[in-house]
Amino acid sequence: MFQHLAKPARTIAGKLGDTILALIATLHVLFALSLIVTLLSLSPAHAADDACGGKNLIADMRASDPARFAALERQAAAVPNGKGIFWKIEKAGVAPSYLLGTMHVTDPRVLAMPKGADAAYETAQTVIVESDEIVDDRKAAAALMMQPELTMFTDGKSIKDFLKADEQEKLAAGLKQRGIPLTLVAKMKPWMIASFVALPACEMSRKAAGASFLDKKLAEDALKQGKALKGLETLVEQLKAMDALPVQFHLDALIETLDLGDTVADVMETTTELYLTGDTGMVMPLMKAVSEETSADKSTDYADFEQRIVIDRNKTMASRAKPILDGGSVFMAVGALHLPGNEGVIELLRKDGFTVSSMSSGN
């Protein structure tokens, strides 16, 4: 597996890249996952004992093939706005606003936020998150139930119709570790089920114990402090973006995640440390390199993922944020993957007349 340095770099990079692709997609639906966890009433009994652990796999990749990894680093360095998760937004005549790239997890290191972000949050009059529906689980759940086809098989099928016997066994075992019987979620779409197994048990346990992921905490604190809270998307819009990807893409991601077993904690740690060091520009080059060296189908999957889950949503976020940012004194928090690139939120805001400058390279 990843921990063996003798493995070719292509094997390490390939599995890591594929799984980060699945994980990043999964993290985009943690809003919905938060609701499902609540609905399933997972037991929080072991929450305090579940340390995530995990190992950063980047060192393995660098050691296995330094030249190839150096090439990836050069690609990452060339990504516009690919370094840093905390940015200042300015426009003449109004108070400055701030933009934080987030990771939708409960990890205390992520919740701490980079230097200066706490002060910026305190002075803000308005807080923007991807979806303000995350503060009202009942209302959000009701909205999802109005369109069950986005999260469930409504044609009589279940996940068992798409998996081989051994794959079903792996899935049942992975869900059991998280206190979820397969029969309870069998009617869910594969990407919803992947949400439960793509995250380490510690993350699921913390959420079940009531811990809020970063975006939700920022939204909840805004209401407590009397700030205006604005959302850029609805949960249904987010779910439609995920559901628009091919079923086979989600099935492949689910199976690949199951094959990881306990090393999913390593993938989470790797992704988290990329985030904490502000290396958001590394994620897409890594995934693109993997897709190009595997199959044409994989390359198509990558392009489809990037367009639907990242670029299309970037445009929506930037256009809806503009009139709010025009008023100044805003703290905006969206997934960090939406920030970098020529079609990232930062560049789109610049095209709308804002000056956006980096405030931090990480925590």
Side-chain angles (χ1 to χ4, degrees):
M1 256 326 208
F2 299 125
Q3 50 268 60
H4 299 307
L5 295 180
K7 282 281 191 180
R10 178 164 299 191
T11 300
I12 296 172
K15 287 186 176 295
L16 176 60
D18 281 350
T19 309
I20 284 181
L21 176 61
L23 181 60
I24 292 294
T26 295
L27 293 180
H28 275 292
V29 298
L30 277 181
F31 297 130
L33 176 58
S34 175
L35 300 176
I36 302 299
V37 168
T38 301
L39 293 174
L40 293 177
S41 302
L42 300 182
S43 171
H46 303 294
D49 301 325
D50 288 333
C52 285
K55 169 185 177 182
N56 188 347
L57 302 172
I58 294 296
D60 289 4
M61 296 175 62
R62 182 181 286 111
S64 298
D65 192 338
R68 183 169 181 271
F69 190 76
L72 276 177
E73 289 183 310
R74 288 192 295 271
Q75 292 176 42
V79 175
N81 315 308
K83 186 71 176 178
I85 57 174
F86 185 42
W87 301 74
K88 187 175 185 179
I89 304 173
E90 297 174 284
K91 194 169 190 177
V94 298
S97 295
Y98 295 87
L99 171 62
L100 176 68
T102 65
M103 188 173 179
H104 309 321
V105 294
T106 62
D107 190 316
R109 296 171 297 172
V110 173
L111 294 177
M113 297 198 297
K115 182 179 179 179
D118 282 309
Y121 184 87
E122 290 303 316
T123 60
Q125 296 179 7
T126 301
V127 173
I128 298 176
V129 291
E130 290 183 23
S131 173
D132 58 355
E133 294 174 297
I134 55 177
V135 296
D136 189 337
D137 287 350
R138 291 185 178 180
K139 182 178 179 181
L144 299 183
M145 289 177 184
M146 292 294 290
Q147 298 191 53
E149 71 280 0
L150 293 178
T151 57
M152 310 287 286
F153 288 111
T154 56
D155 56 0
K157 293 183 179 179
S158 76
I159 193 66
K160 296 179 181 179
D161 294 311
F162 299 91
L163 300 177
K164 300 175 183 177
D166 62 324
E167 293 169 345
Q168 287 187 39
E169 292 178 5
K170 286 181 182 179
L171 177 57
L175 291 171
K176 185 177 180 181
Q177 289 181 338
R178 290 153 174 78
I180 307 170
L182 175 57
T183 53
L184 190 61
V185 298
K187 289 289 186 179
M188 289 184 180
K189 295 284 184 72
W191 61 267
M192 286 296 292
I193 298 176
S195 300
F196 298 114
V197 295
L199 300 175
C202 62
E203 178 67 23
M204 296 291 292
S205 186
R206 285 195 298 249
K207 291 180 70 61
S212 295
F213 53 94
L214 178 55
D215 309 65
K216 186 174 183 180
K217 183 177 184 302
L218 293 172
E220 291 169 339
D221 288 347
L223 296 181
K224 291 176 183 177
Q225 296 175 22
K227 301 178 187 294
L229 178 63
K230 303 290 185 180
L232 300 176
E233 302 173 302
T234 66
L235 288 175
V236 168
E237 286 175 327
Q238 292 179 332
L239 295 179
K240 283 183 176 179
M242 285 296 292
D243 195 49
L245 293 172
V247 172
Q248 192 58 50
F249 167 83
H250 293 303
L251 286 170
D252 290 344
L254 174 58
I255 294 168
E256 288 165 1
T257 302
L258 290 171
D259 286 340
L260 281 178
D262 292 338
T263 56
V264 69
D266 294 339
V267 175
M268 174 61 85
E269 180 63 19
T270 304
T271 309
T272 301
E273 292 198 26
L274 283 174
Y275 171 79
L276 292 173
T277 55
D279 290 318
T280 56
M282 172 64 80
V283 178
M284 282 303 187
L286 176 59
M287 293 193 295
K288 186 175 182 180
V290 171
S291 68
E292 289 177 346
E293 71 183 20
T294 52
S295 66
D297 288 342
K298 284 285 186 182
S299 182
T300 300
D301 286 345
Y302 165 82
D304 201 18
F305 166 85
E306 184 179 30
Q307 186 65 49
R308 294 179 182 275
I309 303 300
V310 183
I311 295 175
D312 288 349
R313 295 178 63 218
N314 290 349
K315 295 175 181 178
T316 297
M317 290 180 187
S319 65
R320 293 178 180 175
K322 182 184 182 304
I324 307 173
L325 292 169
D326 280 338
S329 194
V330 172
F331 190 95
M332 177 175 171
V334 298
L337 195 61
H338 293 289
L339 271 55
N342 287 316
E343 296 181 278
V345 167
I346 292 172
E347 284 302 309
L348 293 175
L349 290 177
R350 286 174 177 156
K351 291 177 181 177
D352 280 333
F354 296 98
T355 297
V356 187
S357 53
S358 179
M359 294 289 288
S360 171
S361 60
N363 281 9

